[in-house]
């Protein structure tokens, strides 16, 4: 097996990382967690970040085999459908996305749409697939949501919203289906990997004194993660996580993001006048 080439792309508007993984120039690629820009005030989407990914695919003469999501993001819209339309590839996410789709399908009254617009492949824990010559293993990492998964490629794992940079700690666990004790156990699976395993993050929200960073080793997380270092036990983590979650606001793009992301990044079909609309459920939170 060859070593994966990995390029990380930062979206400063949402603090999100998208990652491009490929086997060799001219070979096959996967994109993890692509971002579609969205301006809530004007209702405009922007494919600037996705176009940068497409340009890199072209430069390296790559065939896009997979568009992978670590979970249904609540803070940004996914560019999965946009990328699929422009570069092909199959969309994939953890199998428990069906639980998230069922819940939010009811919230948005869009169960029928989900039958038409969903992911191509739903991965079970431990499932393996290939990106060209690269072998990928799916690791279920529930806690932030029920459906979170990581993707392990050699010594790299794309961990989604499980661990953040050591100075930030961990992802919130207060969304429907989220659970701090479950996140703690998922994090232990990652922290049990070899010391020099590289964990590629889904987000970074750096303090002013440092630049955003896409990757950190297991050893660094075990020794220094604010919430999940080796000195914190499950009860300690759960208490700390619940106290912090009680102070967090609803993400600004929660409703736009979820209704697009549970349909694999497809925008809602246009109304009779040809315009697409997003729904905001009133007084439901
Ligand atoms: Fe998330």
């Amino acid at each position: 097996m060859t070593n994966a080439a990995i390029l990380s792309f930062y979206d400063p508007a949402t603090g999100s990382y998208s990652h491009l993984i490929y086997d060799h120039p001219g070979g096959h690629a996967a994109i993890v967690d692509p971002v579609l820009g969205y301006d809530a005030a004007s209702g405009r989407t922007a494919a600037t970040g996705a176009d940068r990914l497409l340009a890199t695919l072209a430069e390296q003469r790559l065939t896009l085999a997979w568009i992978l999501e670590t979970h249904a993001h609540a803070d940004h819209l996914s560019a999965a459908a946009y990328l699929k339309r422009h570069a092909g590839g199959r969309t994939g996410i953890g199998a428990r996305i069906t639980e998230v789709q069922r819940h939010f399908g009811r919230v948005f009254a869009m169960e029928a749409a989900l039958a038409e617009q969903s992911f191509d492949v739903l991965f079970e824990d431990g499932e393996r697939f290939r990106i060209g010559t690269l072998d990928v293993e799916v690791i279920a990492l529930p806690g932030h949501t029920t459906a979170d998964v990581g993707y392990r490629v050699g010594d790299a794992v794309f961990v989604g919203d499980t661990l953040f940079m050591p100075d930030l700690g961990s992802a919130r666990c207060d969304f429907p289906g989220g659970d701090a004790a479950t996140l703690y156990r998922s994090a232990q699976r990652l922290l049990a990997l070899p010391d020099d395993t590289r964990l590629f993050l889904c987000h970074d929200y750096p303090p002013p004194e440092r630049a955003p960073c896409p990757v950190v080793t297991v050893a660094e997380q075990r020794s220094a993660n604010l919430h999940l270092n080796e000195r914190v036990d499950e009860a300690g983590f759960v208490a700390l996580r619940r106290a912090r979650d009680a102070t967090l606001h609803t993400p600004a793009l929660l409703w736009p993001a979820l209704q697009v992301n549970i349909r694999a990044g497809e925008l809602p079909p246009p109304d009779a006048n040809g315009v697409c609309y997003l729904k905001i459920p009133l007084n439901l939170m």
Side-chain angles (χ1 to χ4, degrees):
M1 188 179 114
T2 52
N3 263 336
I6 299 168
L7 299 171
S8 298
F9 299 77
Y10 190 61
D11 175 53
T14 62
S16 305
Y17 272 109
S18 306
H19 308 282
L20 172 64
I21 312 163
Y22 63 95
D23 51 2
H24 56 83
H28 290 82
I31 289 172
V32 181
D33 292 331
V35 174
L36 185 69
Y38 177 66
D39 179 61
S42 63
R44 279 210 80 85
T45 61
T48 327
D51 286 340
R52 204 150 40 118
L53 291 162
L54 290 173
T56 310
L57 290 175
E59 271 162 33
Q60 299 295 322
R61 296 171 286 109
L62 299 167
T63 301
L64 186 59
W66 291 100
I67 305 157
L68 305 171
E69 299 285 356
T70 55
H71 63 295
H73 309 277
D75 67 298
H76 65 264
L77 277 62
S78 164
Y82 179 89
L83 288 175
K84 184 173 166 172
R85 212 154 22 248
H86 286 83
R90 282 188 289 171
T91 55
I93 197 166
R96 292 184 70 187
I97 190 67
T98 54
E99 297 171 34
V100 180
Q101 287 174 318
R102 216 172 300 132
H103 178 88
F104 286 102
R106 276 196 298 267
V107 167
F108 296 114
M110 57 184 257
E111 292 98 324
L114 286 168
E116 305 277 310
Q117 302 175 306
S118 190
F119 296 87
D120 297 321
V121 180
L122 302 185
F123 297 118
E124 299 290 345
D125 185 33
E127 196 167 333
R128 286 170 179 273
F129 63 95
R130 295 183 83 79
I131 307 167
T133 58
L134 301 169
D135 188 38
V136 187
E137 181 193 355
V138 178
I139 307 174
L141 298 170
H144 170 61
T145 76
T146 49
D148 281 58
V149 294
Y151 300 99
R152 193 179 66 75
V153 187
D155 74 337
V157 186
F158 300 84
V159 301
D161 286 4
T162 313
L163 297 158
F164 289 158
M165 280 294 284
D167 56 347
L168 298 177
S170 61
R172 66 195 296 174
C173 295
D174 57 340
F175 294 142
D179 180 66
T182 307
L183 184 79
Y184 181 88
R185 285 174 223 140
S186 292
Q188 299 315 307
R189 288 189 77 180
L190 295 173
L191 298 174
L193 293 168
D195 275 0
D196 55 357
T197 305
R198 295 175 297 157
L199 305 177
F200 285 83
L201 311 175
C202 181
H203 286 295
D204 194 19
Y205 312 100
E209 62 272 18
R210 70 167 176 84
C213 179
V215 61
V216 55
T217 65
V218 162
E220 289 171 279
Q221 293 285 29
R222 269 206 298 259
S223 70
N225 187 284
L226 186 64
H227 301 157
L228 286 158
N229 65 68
E230 57 207 345
R231 299 169 298 283
V232 181
D233 65 8
E234 183 176 315
F237 173 75
V238 168
L240 185 155
R241 191 65 258 172
R242 288 201 182 135
R244 171 137 177 77
D245 287 347
T247 70
L248 298 177
H249 297 294
T250 302
L253 298 185
L254 175 79
W255 298 126
L258 278 169
Q259 68 197 282
V260 169
N261 294 347
I262 60 172
R263 65 206 321 161
E266 293 287 357
L267 300 179
D271 227 318
N273 61 358
V275 179
C276 297
Y277 294 88
L278 291 169
K279 287 182 184 176
I280 308 290
L282 298 178
N283 303 318
L284 203 67
M285 289 291 276

